[in-house]
Amino acid sequence: MTISRSGFITMSITMVAILFLFQFSNVAVKYTTRATTNETRKANTKLSAAKTVLEEHLNKKSTYTTAIIGDETSNEVMIAMEWCVYIKREFCRFSSLEEFDDNFSVGCKLLIVTDEMITTPQHNKILKHVADLGIHIIMTQLPDTNILRSSSILRNLLGIREISPETCKTDGVTLYEGFLLGGKTNYRKLKKTIPYLYLKGGTKKYMVGRLKEQKKEKIKNEDLPPIIWRNQYENSFIFGVNWDFFRDHTALGMYTAMWADANNSFIYPVVNAQSFVTESFPYLSDENLGDIKKNYYHTSRSLSTDVLWPDLVSTLSNTGDKLTGMIAPKLEYNNSKNGTLGGSIDYFFRQTEKISGELGISGTQMAGMPFFYKKLEYDKKNLKDRVPNYAFTSFYPGNMPENIYSKYLHKENTILKDIQTLVLPKKDYNHKIISFYDYNTLCLTKTIDGFSHKDREDLYLRSMETALGYSTTVIDFKKVFYPESEKDDWTKLSKDLSRYLTTHWKEFRECFTQTTISEADQKARQFLTIKYVSFRQNDIINLSLTNFDKEADFILTLTNEEVTSVEGGTYKKIEKDRYLITTSHKDVVIHLQATGATEQSN
Amino acid sequence: MSMEITTILEMIQVFFAYAFLVLLAPYIVLKARLQTRTLYQKFIICVLVGNFYMVNVVFAMFILHIPSRISLYFLSIVPAAIAWYKINHPDVKGFILSIYTSITRLFLDEVKIGTLWLNLTTEPKRRIKAAIRGCASHIFHHFLEWGMLFGLLAFNVYYYGYQTFVRYSYGTSDMVVHHYWVNQLAEGNIFCNGIYPFGFHNVLYFIHDFFDIQIISIFRVFGMIETLYIYAMIYVLLRKICRSRYIPIIGVLIFTLPNLFETQGIMRYQFTLPQEFGMIFLYPCAYFLIEFFQRKKEEIAIEKELRGQSKLYTWLALYHIRPSTWSLIFFAMSFSLTLSAHFYITIVTFILCFAVAAAYFPVVFHYRYFCSIAVAGILSLFSAIAPMAVFFAGGTPLQGSLGWALGVISSSSEKAEAPEQDKKLEKYKVNEGDGFVVYDLTDAPDSLLDPSASAPPAGTAGQTTARPQPSLLERMEKIANGLQKKIVSFNDKLTANINSVYIQEDFITFLLYGMEGMIGACALLTLIRRKFYYRNLLSMALYLFFIIMLYSSADFSLPSPMDQNRSRIFAAYAAPVFCGVLLDLGYAILFRPLRYHRLTEFFPIAAGVAMTFLIITNDFIKPLSLEFAIQSTGEMYCNYDIMKNYPEKKWTIVSSTDSLQLILHKGWHQEVCTFLGKMHNMNADTTVTIPTKYVFFYIEKYPIQYGASNNVSEDFLNLGYVSEEDAAMPAIYEGSAAYGIENRKTLESKLFFWAKAFEEKYPQEFQVYYENDTFICYRIIQNEYNLYNFAIDYTYN
């Protein structure tokens, strides 16, 4: 068979065109990639600390709506004040109930009092008087049982019918649905010896202790020892807590839940950000080959690119999480043998761009204190050579002390020049969850360790989600590259991570928005900046915002009602009687209707 | 969806369900047998067969101890299908063969699917079109009849459905008991409270289980639906008897529109009750008994003729089952159904059959008639009593009200007083023997024997006066006067009695004198013309007479097997039939020379239209009926709403007792007295919990005056708004005294203030679910693992 000339030319052109089409996309990706420039960096310096509503703006001596009784150094007091800042309530701290009584504000709606502030009969009378006025009271911890036994006023306020002479050791606790986000949960590992109280009718329990001998002694659920409850007294609610939850930030969500329960409807701002951070990953070197090869039959580099990265991306794609990777160019800065691999830099930057992730810088290193300065220099040099246009805006200090990185923040010619967000571990109880490190730099606190899920951690997470709609999950890859035991094997760790993401934390990922750290930073700044006023008229809630910029998120809690429409925003049901309202306008109108209630006829 | 729309949909749903079971399905099965019958004959046969079948299928299911939906479907569909096959002889084989051939041709590509579809659907389409054409043609040709009948039935739908439509709730407390029994049937227990005629309950259970319609829906609307059939039976019986086609409609009109009857005599038709259900089968007994006599007479004549022609074998081969036997079978069915439904209906059926028998004297005693009727009667009794006897033999006792009814019957016969005359003669008794008494009346005054005679003047006692013997004419005149006086006195006594049945005096006069005149005239005409037509008219007049005497039995010292409140209903129901036959007698006499040409129907039509016109223009339409205050409208509304919107068995209502059976299979119930009683004199340890997720509290802000009757267009009578004074009163929490009227107000007041106090403790959780002027329902949603303690101090406990 012969081919004519024109036929040959036609076939050739067709083949070239097909080749071009197939290769064009790859070539285009290579030349149009912006992996080496940080596209997620936002110019957010306009939302600096000066524009946010912080503690000093809300601390009002005469017009406060929330009174906090306690010592200023007390964790409970600091966390209470932090909560007031988050929900924009004007507050005032008093050292004693007497001082509060002398400086009473007519606008006061809530009284938070620590247990050590209730010691004398006079205190009890003040509390009774406050309750008579219709002011809700939260007791962050029960007073001593001797005080309770001796004071019928206190017992009446708390709705305590009887106090058992013996204490009881709980065999776990049950958190009932409707209090914190996440529904009903049994915590088997939360065990503590607490006073055994019996409550009167008219009380409502949110959390109770479980008893091992419940079935044997035929104890009804209603008679289990209460841990968190509410009693109605005259026109107010008194909340009692028979545990030490309020000594850490677990209290944040509980404050929100209690205040929501005391009101028919309650709307409050939230961050609405779920972040996922990998510490010391991407890892750009090839160290500790001995252990890595022994465990995984890979080099560190190939382990990173061929095992860890695909596993991680696959896990995150199931849950829709966005990755913020804190780069570790090296970990052993005392060993110059293995340097940062250029191929790894190219690879991870491109891969991160593909999954719409973000890269920050990690402060962790294995060599010890003197090498932190060397690390910063080394990282700057290597990364600047390879990705000169990439501005690192987020930084995870890891084991780098603050006195070191604080000197380099925002300094020219340093790797930390452009840092806007610090992701800090949960260290001290007085360390705020979201706060400003300096004028421009925002601190976000890690809320979960991605490889761990204990009962107390779960409760803490639920509290954060309830109070702020915020979580930052951090997984530390240092233990993968430098395993200390069999528990640090990646197979086990990835299985745990996948399990936690797709079960225990799944609900929150579905409710709230997945973000990178930069996006979470934006939302957190907006959260701290915004001011709002809401009022309800029949079935309509009006919400007016100031300092509003494009978008803000709120959680609306109702009781047996549902949202039918929102003007000036959108809504999403996150749980029964709880809605996430995303506003796009500074004036929002929310329409409600009762669930299941029939029309009323005249 | 509003309750009004729900009620209308339920009416339509239950109407068509019942119509399917008692009209369409029997018609399909018996089609071949019914071809020669007229429409109204088909109607009455289908109704009887359908109801009889349903009643006995349910009995069979329970006797075999297999009560379930599947066995109901099996026992109802399979025998019906077999009967359909046997009766109609459809060409099933041919049908299957045609399907097979069509499919084969399709696969062989000989026909397209369109052609195949056309072939298969041609015959069904033809039949449907023929049926529609037939219906349309029938309606067209009898447009006036259909129009008038439908108009009257539509008015009855409005009249008897008004209470359900507006008030929602059951109108009488008996319905709750019967609802309970049907609930028990649904749970597999028959005769849960003892042996009782269960035909009515079987039918309702059948409808519920077959179509999966809620029992509460059926109970609310079935009263109106069965009333349509009750009224239709008046028309059917009159069509059988009357020569005119339109006089039966006048009979229905008389019972429908004008205000002639005491409300108590017609109010029960709006309620779903077994006695009223049984009334559907009352007139069919007379219908088929009359038809039996007619057909038997024809058969005897035919037999005589054929025997005369020596064609005995022709006679023997003429019928597979004789038409008169069919009539007796249907008579037996309807008699059996009356016994299955309610014993009172059976008593009245006896009276009706006795009236027919009396009118057919001495024909009825001819052995050819009597033996057949006797056998039919025994078989019908057997078929009705047999299921009850089986369960009775199994140890199920009789139900309490049967004992009560027997007591009423026996005590009424004991109470029959000696005639007044005998009392006066007592002092003249000299001897008393076995069956005789001897009196010495020498010194007795004349007035003792002749009350019209005056007592002798004072001073003349003991004197005898010689009187001359009266002539024959004088004696006859005296007898006539005496008879007239007796009749007038009798009628006056009756009038005084039955004016609590027929409220218009003119109507009573018309009835009594018409009845007496008709009895005399028909008896005479029967002797003269020997037509069964006049016997039929006579039977209805006698029936009315017997029913009126039943109602007035106490005043005439007769045995009274039935309470007057019940016999009043039958007396009212007998009047339209009598009026119809009376009018037809006049029609028959007047238009006999014209051979009842169809143009003569103009006069009955005109009479009907004129009557309607006069009734409407003179505002003589009967006022809306009465009902008893049983439940508030809000309570029924909430029952429906909760059953529809909340998952089964996940909710409890705390309310008065009447809602218990209504929501039985859907949710839980706690009585108000039980709930409040638990926290009466409470201490710190008192706990009152209800272990369901949703709890509803029904509170009557205006507690209804339970059992009080008032017009359906007015609100229920109530005891006044709940108050603190009433809440402070001591209440009774258990025993029958807890259900007293005053205690009801106290309990509702206490519950009202309990709710207010509880709402303060749980302002977000304890919400108003529904509220109107007289009723409020609260709802609380609980954590089932940690229930609320409802025991709180609300001041009045």
Side-chain angles (χ1 to χ4, degrees):
Chain A
M1 176 186 155
T2 56
I3 300 172
S4 67
R5 200 169 293 173
S6 59
F8 177 76
I9 292 168
T10 306
M11 282 162 58
S12 301
I13 291 172
T14 305
M15 286 168 68
V16 166
I18 291 170
L19 180 69
F20 178 75
L21 284 171
F22 272 103
Q23 295 302 315
F24 174 75
S25 53
N26 279 338
V27 169
V29 164
K30 189 174 178 185
Y31 284 100
T32 60
T33 181
R34 291 178 179 274
T36 55
T37 58
N38 188 352
E39 289 296 319
T40 60
R41 177 190 175 188
K42 305 284 181 190
N44 55 10
T45 49
K46 63 179 177 178
L47 290 178
S48 61
K51 296 192 177 167
T52 56
V53 181
L54 297 175
E55 194 174 301
E56 50 269 23
H57 301 110
L58 294 169
N59 196 340
K60 305 279 185 193
K61 193 75 180 176
S62 57
T63 59
Y64 61 88
T65 58
T66 304
I68 303 170
I69 316 296
D71 189 76
E72 62 182 345
T73 58
S74 148
N75 286 337
E76 289 155 321
V77 169
M78 287 194 284
I79 290 167
M81 293 197 293
E82 187 180 342
W83 175 72
C84 290
V85 168
Y86 291 149
I87 62 164
K88 323 292 178 185
R89 286 187 73 83
E90 290 172 347
F91 66 93
C92 186
R93 187 197 67 81
F94 299 97
S95 304
S96 67
L97 278 165
E98 288 88 345
E99 187 188 343
F100 159 69
D101 200 31
D102 293 335
N103 294 285
F104 185 75
S105 159
V106 293
C108 182
K109 297 282 182 235
L110 174 65
L111 174 68
I112 299 172
V113 58
T114 57
D115 58 318
E116 55 263 16
M117 295 291 117
I118 307 170
T119 50
T120 65
Q122 179 60 19
H123 294 151
N124 302 339
K125 285 183 186 165
I126 294 171
L127 287 174
K128 182 179 180 307
H129 173 64
V130 166
D132 287 337
L133 292 174
I135 298 170
H136 303 301
I137 300 174
I138 297 176
M139 293 190 196
T140 60
Q141 174 99 33
L142 272 190
D144 188 73
T145 45
N146 292 327
I147 298 175
L148 278 177
R149 284 200 177 92
S150 64
S151 172
S152 62
I153 292 175
L154 264 184
R155 291 200 305 278
N156 276 339
L157 284 173
L158 287 164
I160 295 173
R161 171 171 44 109
E162 187 188 328
I163 305 172
S164 175
E166 294 167 7
T167 54
C168 64
K169 184 155 195 271
T170 61
D171 188 40
V173 303
T174 300
L175 172 67
Y176 292 126
E177 66 179 0
F179 188 60
L180 299 177
L181 283 179
K184 177 175 178 282
T185 316
N186 291 321
Y187 294 115
R188 296 179 196 278
K189 296 280 173 19
L190 287 184
K191 299 183 184 189
K192 195 172 189 282
T193 301
I194 57 172
Y196 200 145
L197 308 174
Y198 295 93
L199 300 179
K200 294 180 189 173
T203 55
K204 180 180 177 183
K205 299 189 202 94
Y206 305 106
M207 185 187 276
V208 296
R210 294 155 62 93
L211 298 174
K212 208 183 241 182
E213 62 276 3
Q214 181 187 358
K215 259 190 190 168
K216 187 177 157 191
E217 295 188 13
K218 294 182 185 171
I219 299 172
K220 290 185 195 173
N221 285 346
E222 290 77 34
D223 291 332
L224 289 172
I227 293 173
I228 304 176
W229 72 94
R230 173 194 96 188
N231 181 45
Q232 182 265 347
Y233 185 89
E234 297 296 330
N235 299 318
S236 65
F237 290 119
I238 319 297
F239 293 89
V241 182
N242 193 10
W243 205 277
D244 58 355
F245 293 128
F246 281 66
R247 296 201 198 285
D248 63 28
H249 284 90
T250 309
L252 285 180
M254 293 188 177
Y255 279 127
T256 303
M258 287 174 180
W259 185 243
D261 206 53
N263 293 279
N264 191 21
S265 59
F266 175 48
I267 189 164
Y268 60 96
V270 293
V271 179
N272 186 22
Q274 309 287 299
S275 305
F276 190 90
V277 176
T278 54
E279 144 74 339
S280 303
F281 192 83
Y283 173 61
L284 305 179
S285 189
D286 208 8
E287 297 158 321
N288 199 22
L289 286 172
D291 283 341
I292 299 296
K293 273 192 177 170
K294 184 177 152 194
N295 290 335
Y296 302 104
Y297 301 100
H298 279 272
T299 62
S300 300
R301 182 191 173 177
S302 62
L303 178 68
S304 297
T305 56
D306 300 340
V307 177
L308 300 181
W309 182 260
D311 271 358
L312 189 66
V313 168
S314 169
T315 302
L316 296 184
S317 66
N318 284 339
T319 57
D321 277 275
K322 283 187 177 178
L323 173 72
T324 303
M326 300 297 180
I327 293 177
K330 270 169 75 72
L331 288 169
E332 291 179 31
Y333 286 87
N334 55 344
N335 184 353
S336 57
K337 186 177 163 190
N338 296 308
T340 304
L341 302 168
S344 291
I345 296 174
D346 291 337
Y347 174 80
F348 282 116
F349 273 77
R350 278 201 306 277
Q351 292 298 317
T352 305
E353 190 200 14
K354 279 185 188 171
I355 63 169
S356 303
E358 183 183 289
L359 292 173
I361 199 79
S362 166
T364 302
Q365 57 97 8
M366 303 292 292
M369 272 300 288
F371 292 91
F372 281 115
Y373 295 102
K374 187 177 176 187
K375 172 192 163 51
L376 290 169
E377 292 292 329
Y378 180 92
D379 289 348
K380 179 210 165 229
K381 184 175 176 301
N382 269 276
L383 291 172
K384 280 295 174 198
D385 287 344
R386 282 284 180 169
V387 287
N389 296 321
Y390 197 94
F392 293 99
T393 57
S394 51
F395 174 60
Y396 187 88
N399 59 2
M400 183 183 289
E402 190 196 346
N403 58 336
I404 295 175
Y405 67 75
S406 61
K407 289 179 196 168
Y408 285 81
L409 269 179
H410 307 306
K411 290 285 189 315
E412 288 294 328
N413 292 322
T414 64
I415 194 79
L416 304 180
K417 180 181 76 148
D418 299 310
I419 296 296
Q420 291 164 2
T421 317
L422 291 177
V423 182
L424 299 176
K426 190 174 61 167
K427 289 185 302 191
D428 307 317
Y429 293 124
N430 59 355
H431 180 82
K432 294 188 175 62
I433 301 294
I434 302 171
S435 61
F436 274 93
Y437 182 78
D438 59 28
Y439 185 75
N440 258 333
T441 310
L442 189 74
C443 283
L444 297 175
T445 306
K446 159 189 161 184
T447 55
I448 340 165
D449 179 352
F451 293 136
S452 172
H453 180 258
K454 298 196 174 78
D455 284 351
R456 191 65 190 240
E457 290 167 351
D458 185 80
L459 191 61
Y460 177 86
L461 172 66
R462 282 166 186 261
S463 190
M464 288 302 112
E465 300 283 12
T466 305
L468 300 168
Y470 161 81
S471 78
T472 296
T473 309
V474 176
I475 56 174
D476 184 5
F477 274 84
K478 182 164 59 44
K479 62 170 81 174
V480 177
F481 294 108
Y482 289 87
E484 291 173 4
S485 67
E486 280 178 3
K487 286 184 191 173
D488 295 334
D489 180 66
W490 171 248
T491 315
K492 186 184 173 307
L493 290 173
S494 68
K495 213 185 270 185
D496 287 341
L497 173 67
S498 179
R499 183 159 50 92
Y500 299 148
L501 279 174
T502 53
T503 53
H504 301 290
W505 308 331
K506 180 185 172 189
E507 185 183 336
F508 306 120
R509 268 140 176 82
E510 286 170 353
C511 295
F512 300 113
T513 310
Q514 322 283 34
T515 58
T516 59
I517 283 294
S518 294
E519 289 165 353
D521 176 286
Q522 270 290 97
K523 284 176 167 281
R525 285 173 195 259
Q526 177 65 59
F527 164 73
L528 290 174
T529 305
I530 202 154
K531 286 186 193 172
Y532 71 101
V533 171
S534 71
F535 65 93
R536 178 167 178 168
Q537 193 174 6
N538 296 326
D539 293 337
I540 295 173
I541 295 176
N542 291 283
L543 182 65
S544 298
L545 310 175
T546 47
N547 298 343
F548 174 74
D549 181 39
K550 292 181 196 168
E551 201 176 82
D553 297 287
F554 292 80
I555 285 182
L556 171 63
T557 60
L558 302 166
T559 309
N560 298 325
E561 287 178 298
E562 58 188 9
V563 174
T564 53
S565 66
V566 173
E567 297 166 21
T570 58
Y571 72 96
K572 177 170 125 177
K573 186 172 182 178
I574 53 180
E575 208 174 76
K576 182 180 175 295
D577 291 337
R578 281 186 163 118
Y579 292 84
L580 179 69
I581 310 289
T582 302
T583 62
S584 54
H585 197 267
K586 62 185 174 77
D587 292 305
V588 180
V589 178
I590 304 167
H591 297 269
L592 309 173
Q593 90 173 9
T595 48
T598 56
E599 64 213 35
Q600 294 187 6
S601 61
N602 292 324
Chain B
M1 195 189 297
S2 69
M3 275 301 288
E4 287 77 9
I5 304 286
T6 304
T7 303
I8 292 172
L9 291 175
E10 283 177 349
M11 283 179 179
I12 295 170
Q13 186 184 27
V14 176
F15 175 81
F16 279 106
Y18 187 61
F20 172 81
L21 292 171
V22 302
L23 294 178
L24 183 62
Y27 178 74
I28 292 170
V29 172
L30 301 172
K31 189 162 183 284
R33 291 264 182 265
L34 297 175
Q35 275 175 349
T36 55
R37 300 273 192 168
T38 61
L39 187 63
Y40 75 89
Q41 289 171 341
K42 288 175 188 171
F43 171 80
I44 193 172
I45 290 170
C46 289
V47 168
L48 281 181
V49 169
N51 281 289
F52 187 80
Y53 189 71
M54 282 195 281
V55 168
N56 288 288
V57 159
V58 175
F59 273 136
M61 202 166 67
F62 278 91
I63 287 171
L64 295 172
H65 296 284
I66 49 168
S68 71
R69 181 168 286 172
I70 294 179
S71 52
L72 183 77
Y73 284 145
F74 180 81
L75 287 175
S76 54
I77 294 172
V78 170
I82 294 170
W84 169 77
Y85 182 79
K86 292 279 186 197
I87 292 169
N88 297 282
H89 302 291
D91 185 15
V92 176
K93 197 173 171 184
F95 177 71
I96 294 171
L97 200 62
S98 74
I99 301 262
Y100 174 75
T101 310
S102 301
I103 293 171
T104 310
R105 291 182 70 198
L106 181 70
F107 282 114
L108 290 173
D109 213 20
E110 288 179 16
V111 289
K112 302 284 182 204
I113 187 79
T115 313
L116 181 67
W117 177 253
L118 200 66
N119 289 341
L120 289 174
T121 56
T122 302
E123 182 61 22
K125 277 186 195 169
R126 189 192 66 78
R127 284 176 185 246
I128 291 169
K129 280 183 187 168
I132 294 171
R133 262 201 308 273
C135 289
S137 169
H138 194 276
I139 293 172
F140 179 76
H141 285 104
H142 300 92
F143 178 75
L144 198 55
E145 252 180 284
W146 280 106
M148 291 164 79
L149 208 53
F150 273 127
L152 292 170
L153 293 177
F155 178 83
N156 284 319
V157 168
Y158 156 75
Y159 188 82
Y160 292 109
Y162 186 90
Q163 179 264 332
T164 303
F165 187 77
V166 172
R167 299 274 161 246
Y168 312 156
S169 56
Y170 290 177
T172 178
S173 58
D174 288 7
M175 284 174 69
V176 180
V177 178
H178 294 294
H179 189 140
Y180 164 58
W181 291 353
V182 179
N183 277 345
Q184 288 295 308
L185 273 178
E187 290 185 7
N189 300 322
I190 192 169
F191 301 130
C192 55
N193 268 17
I195 305 281
Y196 186 87
F198 244 55
F200 161 78
H201 309 87
N202 286 3
V203 167
L204 295 199
Y205 165 74
F206 193 105
I207 298 171
H208 152 70
D209 217 23
F210 198 88
F211 292 103
D212 197 23
I213 301 174
Q214 288 185 108
I215 297 173
I216 184 176
S217 304
I218 299 171
F219 260 90
R220 285 183 65 238
V221 304
F222 194 74
M224 182 271 293
I225 292 166
E226 72 189 6
T227 303
L228 299 179
Y229 286 84
I230 292 170
Y231 274 66
M233 290 306 172
I234 298 173
Y235 173 78
V236 168
L237 179 62
L238 285 174
R239 273 301 303 273
K240 181 69 183 168
I241 296 173
C242 297
R243 293 207 192 275
S244 165
R245 288 179 74 92
Y246 289 89
I247 286 175
I249 297 176
I250 295 179
V252 178
L253 170 68
I254 286 170
F255 202 44
T256 299
L257 214 52
N259 186 17
L260 295 173
F261 305 100
E262 165 64 33
T263 311
Q264 299 278 345
I266 54 171
M267 68 178 279
R268 284 174 59 108
Y269 293 120
Q270 59 191 333
F271 309 138
T272 305
L273 293 168
Q275 179 183 302
E276 278 60 38
F277 173 74
M279 288 179 73
I280 297 174
F281 315 111
L282 173 64
Y283 286 157
C285 288
Y287 178 100
F288 286 109
L289 203 53
I290 289 169
E291 190 182 76
F292 164 74
F293 282 114
Q294 287 173 342
R295 288 186 167 182
K296 197 70 180 176
K297 183 182 174 184
E298 288 163 8
E299 286 162 17
I300 291 170
I302 293 170
E303 187 192 353
K304 197 173 175 184
E305 185 187 336
L306 288 172
R307 278 182 186 270
Q309 296 168 6
S310 300
K311 289 181 181 174
L312 178 62
Y313 286 105
T314 308
W315 160 247
L316 291 173
L318 190 60
Y319 301 110
H320 179 57
I321 298 175
R322 292 179 202 165
S324 62
T325 309
W326 278 115
S327 301
L328 272 186
I329 289 171
F330 292 129
F331 165 75
M333 273 188 195
S334 52
F335 193 87
S336 159
L337 282 168
T338 63
L339 198 57
S340 299
H342 200 280
F343 286 156
Y344 278 173
I345 308 294
T346 313
I347 293 170
V348 177
T349 308
F350 264 123
I351 294 171
L352 179 60
C353 293
F354 182 73
V356 174
Y360 275 83
F361 179 85
V363 174
V364 66
F365 288 111
H366 193 281
Y367 76 97
R368 280 181 176 246
Y369 293 90
F370 185 78
C371 293
S372 307
I373 294 171
V375 168
I378 291 167
L379 286 175
S380 68
L381 281 172
F382 178 79
S383 74
I385 293 173
M388 291 191 268
V390 166
F391 284 97
F392 185 71
T396 310
L398 294 178
Q399 201 270 339
S401 64
L402 284 188
W404 165 80
L406 290 171
V408 166
I409 294 170
S410 60
S411 66
S412 63
S413 59
E414 284 166 8
K415 276 187 206 164
E417 289 183 357
E420 201 177 318
Q421 192 82 325
D422 288 340
K423 285 185 199 165
K424 291 179 185 170
L425 287 171
E426 195 62 33
K427 64 177 181 179
Y428 298 101
K429 184 162 66 175
V430 294
N431 193 14
E432 189 174 344
D434 188 13
F436 64 92
V437 180
V438 177
Y439 299 97
D440 181 8
L441 299 174
T442 310
D443 297 325
D446 292 335
S447 60
L448 187 65
L449 293 172
D450 180 8
S452 61
S454 57
T460 61
Q463 292 176 358
T464 54
T465 313
R467 292 194 222 134
Q469 288 293 322
S471 66
L472 180 66
L473 200 63
E474 283 174 355
R475 259 190 269 170
M476 282 181 68
E477 199 180 322
K478 195 175 178 184
I479 290 169
N481 282 338
L483 200 63
Q484 186 197 12
K485 280 180 186 165
K486 275 197 192 318
I487 290 172
V488 169
S489 158
F490 176 76
N491 282 350
D492 287 343
K493 203 169 179 184
L494 270 185
T495 304
N497 252 301
I498 64 173
N499 63 3
S500 52
V501 180
Y502 315 108
I503 55 176
Q504 304 294 336
E505 285 226 18
D506 295 338
F507 185 62
I508 295 173
T509 311
F510 166 77
L511 276 182
L512 288 178
Y513 286 101
M515 172 185 70
E516 289 157 1
M518 191 160 178
I519 290 171
C522 288
L524 192 64
L525 285 166
T526 303
L527 285 171
I528 297 170
R529 288 189 51 82
R530 298 191 180 274
K531 289 277 186 191
F532 277 7
Y533 169 72
Y534 298 106
R535 291 185 186 274
N536 297 340
L537 301 187
L538 177 62
S539 65
M540 293 302 112
L542 284 172
Y543 170 61
L544 179 66
F545 173 70
F546 291 146
I547 284 293
I548 289 176
M549 291 309 297
L550 174 70
Y551 181 78
S552 314
S553 53
D555 286 327
F556 289 94
S557 304
L558 295 170
S560 181
M562 197 182 293
D563 188 58
Q564 266 197 331
N565 283 328
R566 301 296 179 103
S567 52
R568 174 187 290 131
I569 298 167
F570 300 104
Y573 192 48
V577 173
F578 170 75
C579 292
V581 300
L582 182 64
L583 289 172
D584 198 67
L585 178 64
Y587 173 83
I589 292 169
L590 281 173
F591 297 110
R592 187 172 178 275
L594 300 175
R595 292 288 180 263
Y596 314 115
H597 190 270
R598 66 167 68 180
L599 287 177
T600 58
E601 296 284 8
F602 170 78
F603 294 94
I605 295 169
V609 170
M611 277 176 69
T612 309
F613 179 76
L614 287 169
I615 289 167
I616 294 170
T617 53
N618 288 295
D619 199 20
F620 199 59
I621 300 175
K622 63 185 178 190
L624 285 171
S625 189
L626 301 177
E627 62 169 345
F628 298 102
I630 304 297
Q631 281 174 310
S632 64
T633 53
E635 184 165 345
M636 187 61 88
Y637 184 97
C638 286
N639 284 343
Y640 262 80
D641 201 72
I642 294 166
M643 284 196 288
K644 184 182 166 192
N645 293 316
Y646 289 83
E648 273 189 27
K649 297 292 187 179
K650 286 281 192 182
W651 47 271
T652 303
I653 60 170
V654 177
S655 78
S656 57
T657 320
D658 292 88
S659 285
L660 168 60
Q661 293 301 326
L662 276 56
I663 56 99
L664 188 68
H665 294 113
K666 301 282 187 179
W668 304 95
H669 180 274
Q670 185 163 123
E671 291 191 45
V672 172
C673 52
T674 309
F675 177 75
L676 290 175
K678 286 181 192 172
M679 64 180 94
H680 177 60
N681 290 332
M682 61 174 277
N683 55 38
D685 293 326
T686 304
T687 309
V688 176
T689 55
I690 296 176
T692 52
K693 184 172 180 180
Y694 306 96
V695 186
F696 298 89
F697 297 88
Y698 291 359
I699 302 171
E700 293 169 4
K701 294 189 288 188
Y702 286 89
I704 57 171
Q705 200 170 329
Y706 188 86
S709 65
N710 67 319
N711 194 283
V712 293
S713 58
E714 295 162 2
D715 289 334
F716 291 128
L717 295 174
N718 62 72
L719 302 167
Y721 196 73
V722 290
S723 65
E724 291 180 354
E725 290 77 25
D726 290 303
M729 302 273 286
I732 304 167
Y733 298 105
E734 49 189 14
S736 56
Y739 304 100
I741 289 287
E742 284 308 314
N743 197 55
R744 185 189 185 98
K745 190 175 184 194
T746 306
L747 288 174
E748 294 287 351
S749 298
K750 284 183 186 290
L751 191 64
F752 179 82
F753 288 104
W754 170 86
K756 288 293 176 201
F758 198 79
E759 192 178 11
E760 281 179 20
K761 295 212 175 282
Y762 300 97
Q764 271 76 262
E765 294 85 357
F766 194 65
Q767 294 178 323
V768 173
Y769 181 73
Y770 172 85
E771 185 174 11
N772 62 21
D773 291 339
T774 59
F775 174 87
I776 185 167
C777 173
Y778 286 97
R779 176 193 67 180
I780 190 163
I781 301 175
Q782 299 190 101
N783 178 352
E784 290 151 286
Y785 297 96
N786 186 20
L787 304 171
Y788 289 118
N789 181 6
F790 294 114
I792 57 165
D793 181 4
Y794 61 96
T795 311
Y796 302 108
N797 60 331

